[in-house]
Amino acid sequence: MRKENSEFKTAFVSEAGSFLRNRDFYGCVELEDWACYVIADGLDTDTEVNSAQITVQTILESFWKSQPCPNAD
């Protein structure tokens, strides 16, 4: 199914809970034939490390790099 055949609307809602700062993270990559949506729950109590953000970015980067080059023969 290609983009022309379907429409996706995305949104992200998260609640900080008892922490002062919400550390959840969401990201997505949409290509012509593929898409990758990643949600990570920020569980760390270390205020210097954003593990959910690092996780999402690493997964999306890996997904992006795994895609074949569109102009490759």
Side-chain angles (χ1 to χ4, degrees):
M1 183 175 292
R2 296 188 179 268
K3 284 184 180 181
E4 298 87 34
N5 299 352
S6 55
E7 181 179 332
F8 291 94
K9 294 183 180 182
T10 60
F12 179 63
V13 177
S14 183
E15 186 176 315
S18 61
F19 292 103
L20 294 176
R21 184 166 172 235
N22 188 339
R23 302 178 78 75
D24 299 345
F25 202 81
Y26 161 81
C28 67
V29 172
E30 294 180 349
L31 304 173
E32 183 62 32
D33 293 325
W34 301 96
C36 180
Y37 300 88
V38 183
I39 300 170
D41 188 10
L43 297 175
D44 28 80
T45 55
D46 185 346
T47 59
E48 300 299 317
V49 178
N50 293 320
S51 62
Q53 180 178 354
I54 292 167
T55 301
V56 170
Q57 289 174 336
T58 301
I59 292 170
L60 292 177
E61 183 178 320
S62 177
F63 172 78
W64 182 266
K65 288 180 177 179
S66 71
Q67 299 305 306
C69 182
N71 295 327
D73 292 322

